[in-house]
Amino acid sequence: MSTAPSNPATALRCPQCQQGGLRRSRRRRGDSLWHRLFYSAYRCRACRARSWRFDGGRLVVIAVTGAVSASLAVVIAVGMGGGPGPHQSDASSPEPAPPNAPAATPRNAMGSEAPKEMHLAAHPDLPQRAEQGEAQAQSSLALAYLKGLGVTKDVRVARLWAEKAALQGDAQGQYLLGWMYLDGSGVLQDFKTALKWFEKAAQQNHAEAQYRLGLMHYNGYGVGMDKSKAYFWFNLAAAQGQREATAARDRLLPLLTAEQIAEAQRKGLTWKPAAAKP
């Protein structure tokens, strides 16, 4: 569906036939949320083609409403004596900022992926296995300390175990370490280091790391902004059933050219997971 030009001199001309006048058209069930929020629908009286015109007034209203809501949230948080915790969305958990952003809802990287078997109450031998150098046990122990699963939450101890696992090439350990550098939990926030560990885990086909890596490329955190690479990593993660990546990939499509999409998809078809590397 074509979008009507925003030039005032041609705003009332059909973008298809360039002749007929435009009249307002009703919104349809299949119209995207982006168009519903920021565009007005029109139909040509001559050729009957349907098109859209950007409505700046709506953008201003939404921006003002969002700013007021954000200010109120800050006031409430300060009044209650605390800022956003590790399970809340904040600036260190980056999501695409522009309108039409791939990820509509900020989400904590450690959200609901924690397997039940990582709880120390169910696996009391986990510390011993980790001490003996088992990489999977080390990353599991890191997650337990990071989330407080059967043990007192301690992000510094979590970082130490995640680092031990990551240096052995464990993808989960690399992902956890990348997230900690991204979030600034237990370490100084460092986007380039976060990017490095996300890349290592993503190359081993770790879906969550691939999704986070896509967001890093989309936002330009630790690397230059590259929507094509963001689509590539979103697409790989989505192929494994990562729901946020699927939504991000689909929202990114209108921002790419057909050539960029085709090239990213060709690369995805030939991509192969790498062996574990520290």
Side-chain angles (χ1 to χ4, degrees):
M1 182 180 297
S2 60
T3 302
S6 57
N7 186 342
T10 60
L12 297 180
R13 285 191 177 276
C14 175
Q16 297 289 339
C17 66
Q18 297 295 328
Q19 294 180 1
L22 299 178
R23 62 177 178 82
R24 290 296 295 270
S25 174
R26 293 181 180 179
R27 288 180 171 81
R28 297 176 178 175
R29 180 176 298 179
D31 294 340
S32 68
L33 178 60
W34 174 248
H35 281 91
R36 287 174 177 268
L37 288 177
F38 301 114
Y39 286 82
S40 296
Y42 288 84
R43 186 177 295 281
C44 177
R45 298 178 184 276
C47 69
R48 307 293 295 170
R50 193 164 180 261
S51 57
W52 297 87
R53 291 184 62 212
F54 179 72
D55 190 339
R58 295 183 181 182
L59 179 60
V60 172
V61 172
I62 293 175
V64 171
T65 302
V68 172
S69 299
S71 299
L72 288 174
V74 171
V75 171
I76 293 172
V78 172
M80 294 180 67
H87 297 288
Q88 295 173 299
S89 169
D90 55 32
S92 64
S93 183
E95 303 293 338
N100 220 16
T105 305
R107 177 177 176 274
N108 181 277
M110 301 304 124
S112 60
E113 297 84 23
K116 293 181 179 179
E117 64 266 25
M118 302 311 174
H119 201 294
L120 287 186
H123 286 261
D125 63 331
L126 202 59
Q128 181 181 358
R129 288 160 49 202
E131 290 286 357
Q132 292 174 350
E134 184 182 321
Q136 186 176 357
Q138 290 171 344
S139 62
S140 298
L141 193 58
L143 184 59
Y145 275 105
L146 189 61
K147 292 179 68 68
L149 300 176
V151 68
T152 301
K153 183 176 179 178
D154 191 326
V155 293
R156 290 180 176 83
V157 175
R159 180 189 65 81
L160 292 175
W161 285 115
E163 193 170 60
K164 288 178 181 292
L167 291 175
Q168 292 196 69
D170 181 75
Q172 177 70 355
Q174 292 168 344
Y175 167 67
L176 292 176
L177 192 58
W179 182 84
M180 296 181 78
Y181 275 104
L182 171 65
D183 190 64
S185 295
V187 293
L188 290 175
Q189 191 175 55
D190 186 337
F191 292 157
K192 286 189 175 181
T193 302
L195 181 80
K196 178 186 77 172
W197 290 112
F198 282 149
E199 284 181 333
K200 288 178 179 293
Q203 290 293 347
Q204 295 188 59
N205 212 27
H206 191 290
E208 291 292 331
Q210 290 170 343
Y211 169 60
R212 286 284 156 182
L213 187 56
L215 289 178
M216 300 287 278
H217 281 290
Y218 184 92
N219 287 304
Y221 285 4
V223 69
M225 292 179 64
D226 191 327
K227 292 182 174 61
S228 295
K229 286 185 178 179
Y231 175 88
F232 170 79
W233 288 113
F234 288 153
N235 200 27
L236 287 179
Q240 299 190 68
Q242 216 287 349
R243 291 177 296 175
E244 287 82 358
T246 302
R249 178 199 63 192
D250 294 345
R251 289 191 179 97
L252 186 55
L253 280 172
L255 305 181
L256 300 174
T257 65
E259 291 75 15
Q260 288 175 317
I261 295 171
E263 178 63 19
Q265 290 178 349
R266 279 195 295 269
K267 289 180 178 179
L269 290 172
T270 58
W271 182 85
K272 301 294 183 185
K277 292 182 181 180

